[in-house]
Amino acid sequence: MARIPEDTINRIRDTADIVDVVSQYVDLRKRGQNFVGLCPFHNDVHPSLYVSPSKQIYKCFACGAGGHAISFLMDFEKISFVDSIKRLGDRYGIEIKADTEPGAKEFFSNLYAIHELAMKRYQGHLFSEKGEKILGYLKERGLTEETIKKFHLGLALDAWDDLLKAARAKEFPKDVLDKSGLFTKTDKGTFDRFHNRIMFPIFHPSGKVIAFGGRAIDPKEPAKYVNSPETPLYHKSEVMYGFQASGPTIRKSDSMILVEGYTDFLQLFQAGAKNTVAVSGTALTEKHVNQIRRFAKRVYLAYDGDPAGIKAALRAGYLLYQAGVEPRVIKMPENLDPDDWVQKQGLGPFKEAARTAIPLIEFQLQTVNVDEFTGMETSRFVQDIIQDLATIQDSIIRDKLLRTLAEKLKVDEEDLYERLEREMRRGSRRFVDEDQPRKVESEEMYDSFSSQAQRSQVELIKILAGAGESARQQVRDSVELELFSEPILKRLAEILMPIYEEIDHAAVVDQFEDKNERELVTKILMDELFETDLEIAISDYAKVLRLTPVKEQIKELRLEIRELERRKEDPTEKVLDLTRLQKELNGMK
């Protein structure tokens, strides 16, 4: 794998000016120490994008996008890190020479190999005596042995280290075991991620297995499905289940049937609907849609017939419209999914429903009884749809949908146009499940830091990143790294504490590869310090972090004492421990 030397990346980052880069795509104007402009990553009307020349980072305070010059180019142009570096190198006259990263090719070969091993082992279990019952169950569900073998369905045994033993016997390197997503690490050791589950291998379009979905066999298992986590091979927001088999038919027909689950896909594909794919383990994303529009002009949504499936279909439909792909909805029998429907009645009724699939907005109108609405209820319903329409960039699609809405509801078309224009001037929200604007994951992560201990950690990071050296030294002297309990904040503290010179904020952001983590870090670094007396503030934050673990122990002990008393057992020892901890806590205050 080609690799750009670290010193070249540092030169690019040090040379590329964030204002210069962003201003190629966004009209910026000076506001105080920063520059502001309309964010290019969402339908921005009021300037939400802030660019900091002193910190060399940017942040949108509406949609959450953020990062440095390299990541801005990656996100705007939809290009890779390497291509972004090359573009900036060309712009600033820096020669890019790629090295070959030692061991990278072998690492990825081993990742593919361990997934291949897992797939064969799981399928071997399914077709053994141990899997006889599960194989019978799959066949009862209507899946043929040919389909089961074609898509390599398998069985993870009810054991904690079956695959681990097999992988260690093949002497896979530790980093391959750690990064494969097939194992979990706990204080007690390393164990198989999947056990006592029906296994569905997930394939790259090239046909290589890159991940798994596991369906629980035990009905009492709280998690019905467990999927592989994000790995170097598997990015769930980009992968569609079954595409390696259905891709050729999709390209040929220029259309796609989209379902929610693994078995929905298998039943339809087996029955002859060869242009089907599934989105499993996640909702449909913009990355999925960007791939879909390369292959299909029309997508038939065959989501479950329950309220959750209807809501998901509407959300998916508007995402498709935003990308210029026409969504049609296949109406499901109430509370049935495609798997059950095809299994009970064959493909015929499904094919007929696909032939008569309805446009998204008609489906949306059919989900409610508009005739029984009061005037106020009609107005609110219309406004919700207007907010969805405002997310569609193509004016021809948008106007056609608006005319359909006016015709179906028998309302004044001009009134709808006025509402739409007002909504677009305000800056619309994307289609979401709730009444409130959708927050990106990084914003939700930031808001989740709500406890006193978490907020103290955030404020200490802001001091390390933006205060003078004396305050930063006080943090080093007062707070041990172990007191940072949030992983991403602890990592930030590990990066910032050893820095005694001026902070290179863009270099800090650059140490986070995950997009959501990068945006979260950018938000924290862009936040201003409002404390007037940092010395007192640091002391208070440090005290909170020292007290929190003791308070947690006291809480746990009280629960244990209560449980012992409930079981009529002697709690004396726990009471003594509680008394000791309470004295310790009082002494720390």
Side-chain angles (χ1 to χ4, degrees):
M1 177 183 285
R3 177 182 177 275
I4 297 175
E6 193 65 28
D7 60 340
T8 304
I9 295 172
N10 290 337
R11 281 185 64 205
I12 295 288
R13 192 178 58 236
D14 293 341
T15 305
D17 179 68
I18 187 70
V19 177
D20 181 37
V21 172
V22 175
S23 62
Q24 294 176 68
Y25 307 94
V26 179
D27 290 327
L28 297 176
R29 67 175 185 272
K30 196 83 162 33
R31 181 178 292 176
Q33 296 181 344
N34 298 321
F35 288 80
V36 299
L38 297 177
C39 177
F41 301 112
H42 75 287
N43 188 18
D44 201 6
V45 177
H46 303 292
S48 304
L49 186 77
Y50 281 68
V51 181
S52 170
S54 61
K55 296 179 179 178
Q56 285 296 301
I57 54 180
Y58 72 94
K59 178 69 182 175
C60 175
F61 288 91
C63 75
H68 47 59
I70 300 169
S71 62
F72 179 91
L73 204 57
M74 289 169 63
D75 294 338
F76 187 90
E77 296 282 9
K78 308 297 184 195
I79 57 178
S80 68
F81 177 82
V82 171
D83 288 338
S84 179
I85 290 289
K86 288 178 178 177
R87 291 269 192 97
L88 292 171
D90 289 341
R91 178 173 178 80
Y92 293 102
I94 299 172
E95 186 179 2
I96 307 295
K97 290 183 178 179
D99 295 337
T100 300
E101 185 175 359
K105 186 175 180 181
E106 184 181 356
F107 171 73
F108 278 92
S109 296
N110 277 325
L111 272 184
Y112 284 117
I114 199 170
H115 279 82
E116 184 78 15
L117 169 72
M119 181 178 70
K120 289 179 177 177
R121 191 165 186 84
Y122 293 145
Q123 188 162 63
H125 291 325
L126 181 63
F127 284 92
S128 71
E129 187 177 338
K130 296 174 181 176
E132 189 175 333
K133 184 178 177 182
I134 300 304
L135 182 60
Y137 165 78
L138 291 171
K139 289 180 178 179
E140 286 173 14
R141 293 286 299 172
L143 297 179
T144 65
E145 190 164 314
E146 180 185 358
T147 295
I148 292 167
K149 287 182 175 179
K150 177 180 177 65
F151 292 97
H152 301 274
L153 272 60
L155 169 65
L157 298 179
D158 191 7
W160 294 96
D161 60 355
D162 173 71
L163 182 59
L164 182 63
K165 286 178 180 176
R168 284 176 172 167
K170 293 287 185 181
E171 298 183 347
F172 282 102
K174 184 178 180 300
D175 63 336
V176 173
L177 297 178
D178 291 344
K179 295 180 181 179
S180 67
L182 297 171
F183 311 100
T184 57
K185 294 177 74 173
T186 71
D187 295 339
K188 296 180 180 179
T190 301
F191 304 97
D192 292 0
R193 180 178 295 277
F194 301 101
H195 47 89
N196 201 29
R197 289 181 180 273
I198 300 170
M199 300 303 294
F200 300 86
I202 298 169
F203 296 89
H204 186 270
S206 66
K208 291 183 177 180
V209 59
I210 55 174
F212 292 90
R215 186 188 189 281
I217 294 171
D218 183 354
K220 295 178 182 177
E221 175 65 43
K224 184 177 180 182
Y225 279 95
V226 169
N227 295 287
S228 290
E230 297 272 317
T231 72
L233 297 182
Y234 177 56
H235 305 287
K236 64 183 178 182
S237 64
E238 301 173 7
V239 177
M240 291 177 287
Y241 179 74
F243 188 79
Q244 82 286 353
S246 58
T249 305
I250 290 170
R251 291 184 179 95
K252 196 172 182 179
S253 66
D254 218 14
S255 68
M256 171 189 292
I257 297 170
L258 190 64
V259 296
E260 291 184 278
Y262 303 118
T263 54
D264 295 330
F265 165 82
L266 293 169
Q267 288 284 3
L268 284 171
F269 191 94
Q270 176 180 281
K274 305 294 186 185
N275 62 333
T276 303
V277 296
V279 179
S280 296
T282 181
L284 188 72
T285 68
E286 289 182 14
K287 289 183 179 179
H288 288 134
V289 171
N290 286 334
Q291 290 185 57
I292 288 170
R293 68 179 177 183
R294 292 163 51 200
F295 310 116
K297 293 179 180 176
R298 177 178 287 181
V299 171
Y300 295 90
L301 297 167
Y303 280 28
D304 294 357
D306 59 11
I310 291 169
K311 187 179 284 189
L314 290 171
R315 182 187 179 279
Y318 279 103
L319 275 176
L320 290 163
Y321 266 138
Q322 288 170 24
V325 179
E326 181 189 3
R328 290 287 178 110
V329 181
I330 298 174
K331 287 199 71 175
M332 293 284 141
E334 189 174 355
N335 294 321
L336 279 186
D337 58 28
D339 177 15
D340 296 325
W341 194 14
V342 173
Q343 193 185 147
K344 291 175 180 176
Q345 301 182 28
L347 188 63
F350 182 90
K351 284 181 71 174
E352 178 59 23
R355 189 185 67 79
T356 58
I358 60 177
L360 184 75
I361 203 157
E362 290 186 28
F363 173 74
Q364 190 169 6
L365 289 168
Q366 290 179 18
T367 62
V368 295
N369 193 346
V370 180
D371 292 338
E372 295 184 4
F373 277 0
T374 64
M376 182 62 73
E377 287 170 335
T378 301
S379 178
R380 287 172 182 163
F381 179 68
V382 166
Q383 187 59 31
D384 283 342
I385 297 180
I386 291 292
Q387 289 175 328
D388 301 334
L389 296 180
T391 66
I392 301 170
Q393 300 300 309
D394 190 316
S395 60
I396 296 175
I397 295 174
R398 197 173 57 231
D399 292 351
K400 171 69 174 174
L401 293 174
L402 198 72
R403 286 194 294 274
T404 301
L405 180 63
E407 180 184 335
K408 296 290 182 182
L409 289 179
K410 297 181 175 57
V411 296
D412 182 36
E413 192 174 315
E414 288 301 316
D415 178 57
L416 296 186
Y417 272 108
E418 287 178 10
R419 288 186 179 216
L420 180 63
E421 287 174 2
R422 282 200 303 272
E423 185 63 32
M424 294 182 71
R425 281 198 300 270
R426 275 203 304 266
S428 70
R429 62 174 173 86
R430 293 178 185 269
F431 184 84
V432 292
D433 294 337
E434 309 298 336
D435 291 333
Q436 297 301 318
R438 179 180 68 90
K439 291 184 177 181
V440 295
E441 191 172 331
S442 60
E443 297 289 310
E444 291 174 344
M445 289 166 65
Y446 186 83
D447 290 345
S448 72
F449 296 148
S450 55
S451 72
Q452 191 179 16
Q454 290 169 327
R455 294 307 304 170
S456 295
Q457 291 172 62
V458 170
E459 294 302 320
L460 287 168
I461 292 297
K462 287 163 61 177
I463 292 168
L464 284 170
E469 177 52 30
S470 62
R472 286 154 58 189
Q473 186 58 48
Q474 186 187 346
V475 175
R476 296 187 196 105
D477 295 338
S478 306
V479 184
E480 299 82 24
L481 276 173
E482 291 71 26
L483 293 177
F484 286 88
S485 58
E486 296 297 328
I488 193 166
L489 300 178
K490 184 173 183 177
R491 189 176 168 200
L492 268 172
E494 289 171 344
I495 294 168
L496 293 168
M497 276 191 177
I499 301 176
Y500 286 85
E501 64 274 9
E502 186 178 347
I503 304 288
D504 184 343
H505 295 82
V508 173
V509 173
D510 208 29
Q511 297 193 47
F512 294 83
E513 294 181 5
D514 179 81
K515 186 174 185 292
N516 284 312
E517 287 188 352
R518 196 167 61 233
E519 291 177 352
L520 173 62
V521 169
T522 305
K523 180 173 178 60
I524 293 170
L525 297 182
M526 284 287 281
D527 268 358
E528 298 294 331
L529 280 171
F530 295 108
E531 297 289 353
T532 54
D533 194 329
L534 286 179
E535 186 176 341
I536 294 175
I538 293 168
S539 177
D540 290 342
Y541 298 145
K543 183 184 289 184
V544 168
L545 297 191
R546 285 195 299 271
L547 294 176
T548 298
V550 181
K551 288 180 178 178
E552 290 297 323
Q553 289 179 60
I554 289 173
K555 189 187 299 181
E556 289 175 14
L557 275 171
R558 283 176 174 156
L559 291 172
E560 290 176 19
I561 291 168
R562 197 174 303 151
E563 179 62 20
L564 287 171
E565 290 173 340
R566 187 186 67 80
R567 297 202 305 257
K568 296 185 170 38
E569 296 179 17
D570 184 10
T572 303
E573 186 178 342
K574 298 293 182 183
V575 171
L576 291 173
D577 289 340
L578 178 62
T579 304
R580 176 182 56 79
L581 282 174
Q582 285 174 328
K583 285 181 180 178
E584 183 181 334
L585 182 66
N586 292 333
M588 296 169 69
K589 290 180 177 178

